[in-house]
Amino acid sequence: VEANTTSATSGLDLTASATTDQFSSLTHSYLLFDTSTLRASAVVLTGTIRLYGDSKSNNIGSPDLHIAASTPAANNTLATGDFQNVGRTTFGNITYANFTAGAFNEIALNATGLADITNTGISRFSAQNSWDINNSFTGVWSASVGSHTVIQFADGTNPPQLVVTFRRPKPSGDFI
């Protein structure tokens, strides 16, 4: 287990080992956004996570990319112990077929994902492939190869984005 915090790209990887139904590599990614400028009174109406596709390969199948919760121990660095600190409820997804390398891929957040946006702090998400979040491999086994979906990160030229539409309540009282 390792934690990479300085790469310009990261991805979702599942690589088969030489032993059937055992994997040599499984990765997911953490997406943290400072949403404190929304303020406590903001009502989040919509949210979309935009991920710039760097590359993809489907040597053992075509897993979809899902967004879910994450709870790393710190907001500014990852540790190997954070690997299991991801949610298993999907907030939205994009199919492998619709994921495009060389462009931003948009994933609309469902109501559960919108509720995960923190108005006064850091909103934490994870990106996982469907085999990981659903705990079910549906590909075709082939030893020592894998399927990968790679996205750019904060150190890349096209970092992940969280686009939020919100409203603030109208002030109450009389105004002159």
Side-chain angles (χ1 to χ4, degrees):
V1 176
E2 66 180 62
N4 184 341
T5 60
T6 60
S7 179
T9 61
S10 180
L12 313 177
D13 169 59
L14 188 62
T15 303
S17 73
T19 304
T20 301
D21 294 332
Q22 290 184 8
F23 297 93
S24 61
S25 174
L26 169 65
T27 62
H28 44 250
S29 298
Y30 295 83
L31 309 165
L32 280 67
F33 302 96
D34 182 356
T35 48
S36 61
T37 57
L38 291 174
R39 299 192 197 138
S41 62
V43 177
V44 174
L45 303 173
T46 65
T48 302
I49 291 186
R50 300 181 75 227
L51 303 174
Y52 193 87
D54 191 72
S55 63
K56 67 180 185 177
S57 65
N58 63 345
N59 297 314
I60 58 175
S62 304
D64 300 337
L65 187 153
H66 286 258
I67 300 297
S70 74
T71 55
N75 289 331
N76 56 359
T77 189
L78 290 175
T80 56
D82 287 325
F83 182 80
Q84 70 275 2
N85 295 338
V86 293
R88 295 296 177 193
T89 300
T90 188
F91 294 166
N93 70 294
I94 186 169
T95 65
Y96 181 88
N98 287 332
F99 182 87
T100 303
F104 273 102
N105 297 272
E106 295 188 354
I107 302 168
L109 297 175
N110 61 24
T112 308
L114 295 177
D116 204 53
I117 295 173
T118 303
N119 291 13
T120 59
I122 304 296
S123 295
R124 304 173 187 185
F125 299 95
S126 65
Q128 303 173 52
N129 73 45
S130 54
W131 299 332
D132 186 13
I133 197 166
N134 296 326
N135 196 28
S136 176
F137 175 69
T138 58
V140 177
W141 189 265
S142 184
S144 304
V145 297
S147 290
H148 318 279
T149 307
V150 180
I151 56 179
Q152 289 192 9
F153 267 78
D155 291 335
T157 55
N158 296 294
Q161 301 170 359
L162 173 61
V163 179
V164 177
T165 302
F166 65 96
R167 68 175 166 80
R168 293 202 174 105
K170 292 181 181 178
S172 59
D174 296 328
F175 293 94
I176 300 178

